[in-house]
Amino acid sequence: MPKEIIAKLMDDASRGSNAIIEISTWRSRRSRGPTAAPCISTIDPFRKHCLLNGLDDIGLTMEKKSEIDDFETRQKDSQPWLHAAS
């Protein structure tokens, strides 16, 4: 999204609870505020996935939980000395 549009949306947001800002990341990819003209934007597919699924770094890692568990099992089997009790 162009910096000028972001600045205008942020200005609109600073107006308080009466300022409604709409940002659509799905089909229309439009954003608009009370005084800003609508703007069509693009969003990186990875960032869109994270945003729509509420994923932070931990959530992204947890998407790979079964693969992490499989790796740990293989590592325990192939290198048991790394997991020996102290």
Side-chain angles (χ1 to χ4, degrees):
M1 194 177 297
K3 288 182 182 179
E4 357 9 287
I5 299 295
I6 293 171
K8 190 62 182 149
L9 289 171
M10 294 303 290
D11 180 59
D12 288 344
S14 70
R15 298 177 194 276
S17 62
N18 291 332
I20 297 172
I21 295 174
E22 175 187 338
I23 299 175
S24 170
T25 59
W26 188 241
R27 290 192 176 108
S28 67
R29 299 183 326 269
R30 293 183 187 273
S31 61
R32 67 178 171 185
T35 59
C39 173
I40 295 177
S41 61
T42 59
I43 186 167
D44 175 73
F46 173 74
R47 291 188 186 274
K48 181 177 180 177
H49 169 76
C50 293
L51 182 63
L52 292 176
N53 293 289
L55 298 172
D56 59 6
D57 291 342
I58 294 170
L60 284 168
T61 301
M62 294 311 295
E63 282 192 322
K64 306 288 185 188
K65 184 177 180 341
S66 66
E67 294 167 42
I68 293 168
D69 290 342
D70 291 345
F71 169 80
E72 289 178 343
T73 300
R74 286 191 313 273
Q75 187 185 42
K76 284 179 186 178
D77 292 344
S78 67
Q79 300 172 336
W81 61 89
L82 294 176
H83 303 279
S86 340

